[in-house]
Amino acid sequence: MGTSFVFDDPDAMRSICGINDSNIPYLEKLLGCSIYVRGDRAECNTEESPTPQLSAFLFTDLMDRLKRLSNVTSEIGEFEILMEFKASQNASEKGSEAAPSKHEFISVLSRSVYPKSNRQEDYIKSMKHSQITFGVGPAGTGKTYLAVAYSLGELLSGRKQKLILTRPVVEAGESLGFLPGDLSQKLNPYLKPLYDSMEAIIAPATIRRLEDSGSIEIAPLAYMRGRSIHNACIILDEAQNTTQAQMKMFLTRIGENSCAIITGDVTQIDLPKASASGLVQAREILRDIEGISFVNFTARDTVRSRIVQRIIDAYEKN
C-alpha cells in the first residue's frame, strides 16, 4: 500500500529528488519510509510512514521552498525541514504557534553544512565547544565528513593556521605491498576518505593550494611523536586501529589553540588480535575529562543510504 505525490513541474522534481535521486535517502530518513520515484511521481510506502499526510506535507513544503531558494540540497534541506515540520506539528497539537528549533551548522567559505540528525547536531556542537571530540560509530553516519567540514571552516576563516590529517597505517585484511612515490603519495590511498570529504566541500584546486602553502599537512601517526602542535585542527581518522600507546602519544601532541577530532568505528578493528584498540581504551578512561567530548553514533544515524543502515543493523543482530 502506498501514497503518491505528483509533481507538476519537472524542474522542481529534479531539484527536490537531486541528481540521480541523490536526495531520496535523506527524504526517506525524514519520513521513515521507502520512496520510489516513477515518472512524474514519488510513491511512499504508507505501511512504514506514520500517515499519508506526512509525505504530502513534506513534498508540498519542498515545492514552496523552491520558490524561495534556487535549489534544494541534502545539506540545507533535511534538518531545516525536519525542525520546521516538528515545530508545526507541535503547534497544531497545542493549538498555538511554535517557534522553529535553532540548530548548529558549519560555515565553509560561502557554504553552510547542516546536520542531518540530532546526533550530528550534538557532534557539531561538541567540535565547537570541546578541545578534543571523539566521534564513534558505524559507517555512513557523517563522522569524517563533518570533522573535515568543521576543520576546513576553522582553517579558511583564519581561526586556525593548519589542518593536519593523520590515521594509523593498518590494512583492512589484505596487503597492498610496496607503494611507490614520496611520503605523501604513499599515504594518499589511506587518506582518500578524508580527501573525498574535502573535495565534496571545496574545489580540488583549493585543496592543492592549501597543501602547497603547508596549510594542509599529511602526517603519518608514527611521525607525530615528539611534536607539539599549536593553532591547528587535527583529524585522526580510523582511530579504532590505533594501539593504546599510539592513542596516548597522539592525544599528548595537542598544544595551545589546537583541537583534535578523532573518528572511528569500534566494530571494524583491523589490529592484530594481540593488540588492544586505543580508541576503546580512550572511551573508557577519558569520558569524564573536562574538555573532551564523546559522541556515539548508532545505525539509526546513518545518512549514507537506507541500504547501509539495513546492512549495519543486520551485522549488529548477528
Side-chain angles (χ1 to χ4, degrees):
M1 181 179 179
T3 183
S4 298
F5 182 87
V6 179
F7 294 91
D8 55 9
D9 183 347
D11 291 333
M13 180 178 179
R14 282 192 291 270
S15 294
I16 290 173
C17 295
I19 299 172
N20 295 325
D21 294 337
S22 59
N23 287 343
I24 294 300
Y26 306 112
L27 299 175
E28 288 180 326
K29 189 172 178 65
L30 270 176
L31 295 173
C33 69
S34 301
I35 299 175
Y36 304 95
V37 179
R38 295 184 173 92
D40 62 349
R41 68 182 62 227
E43 297 182 1
C44 305
N45 186 341
T46 53
E47 293 179 356
E48 300 176 11
S49 181
T51 63
Q53 290 76 19
L54 184 66
S55 56
F57 175 91
L58 175 62
F59 286 112
T60 301
D61 185 85
L62 281 168
M63 294 290 287
D64 292 338
R65 189 175 294 269
L66 271 175
K67 297 175 183 177
R68 304 191 301 269
L69 299 173
S70 59
N71 191 20
V72 174
T73 68
S74 59
E75 286 80 12
I76 69 172
E78 177 187 0
F79 203 76
E80 284 184 343
I81 296 167
L82 177 60
M83 291 296 102
E84 291 177 9
F85 178 72
K86 285 183 176 179
S88 65
Q89 289 289 89
N90 292 336
S92 62
E93 291 173 1
K94 296 177 182 178
S96 62
E97 184 176 356
S101 301
K102 295 181 180 179
H103 53 273
E104 300 285 348
F105 65 95
I106 298 167
S107 293
V108 185
L109 296 177
S110 59
R111 180 174 183 178
S112 295
V113 178
Y114 287 85
K116 298 182 176 69
S117 69
N118 290 329
R119 198 67 53 85
Q120 285 195 357
E121 185 181 19
D122 292 340
Y123 189 43
I124 293 174
K125 191 180 299 182
S126 294
M127 289 189 287
K128 289 182 177 181
H129 299 291
S130 298
Q131 189 172 8
I132 300 173
T133 298
F134 287 82
V136 184
T141 51
K143 306 182 302 296
T144 299
Y145 178 80
L146 290 176
V148 168
Y150 174 76
S151 299
L152 285 174
E154 293 292 288
L155 176 65
L156 295 171
S157 68
R159 290 187 290 270
K160 295 290 189 290
Q161 291 181 349
K162 182 175 284 191
L163 167 57
I164 298 176
L165 308 174
T166 188
R167 59 161 287 176
V169 180
V170 177
E171 294 165 348
E174 58 180 322
S175 176
L176 298 179
F178 174 76
L179 294 174
D182 58 21
L183 182 61
S184 175
Q185 293 169 323
K186 290 177 188 293
L187 283 174
N188 185 267
Y190 295 96
L191 295 171
K192 195 66 172 71
L194 293 167
Y195 276 87
D196 289 342
S197 296
M198 284 196 291
E199 290 173 1
I201 300 168
I202 61 175
T206 304
I207 298 172
R208 288 193 294 271
R209 176 175 57 80
L210 293 170
E211 286 180 315
D212 291 341
S213 67
S215 296
I216 292 179
E217 176 188 341
I218 294 174
L221 185 58
Y223 288 15
M224 295 189 70
R225 186 177 300 278
R227 296 183 65 178
S228 182
I229 302 170
H230 303 287
N231 202 26
C233 285
I234 316 163
I235 298 177
L236 171 58
D237 198 34
E238 299 290 336
Q240 75 275 5
N241 288 327
T242 59
T243 64
Q244 294 180 356
Q246 285 176 325
M247 178 62 76
K248 180 181 178 182
M249 179 272 292
F250 172 80
L251 293 173
T252 54
R253 301 306 95 205
I254 301 167
E256 293 297 324
N257 196 35
S258 283
C259 65
I261 307 164
I262 297 110
T263 67
D265 178 1
V266 295
T267 69
Q268 296 193 45
I269 297 173
D270 300 311
L271 290 168
K273 291 184 179 180
S275 301
S277 170
L279 178 59
V280 173
Q281 183 193 45
R283 192 165 60 170
E284 293 173 353
I285 68 176
L286 300 178
R287 64 180 63 191
D288 297 323
I289 302 297
E290 183 178 356
I292 300 178
S293 296
F294 287 84
V295 180
N296 296 302
F297 295 89
T298 68
R300 293 182 180 180
D301 301 306
T302 303
V303 295
R304 186 169 294 169
S305 70
R306 289 177 66 84
I307 191 65
V308 172
Q309 183 175 350
R310 291 167 183 159
I311 290 169
I312 294 169
D313 285 336
Y315 272 97
E316 288 181 348
K317 291 175 184 177
N318 189 9

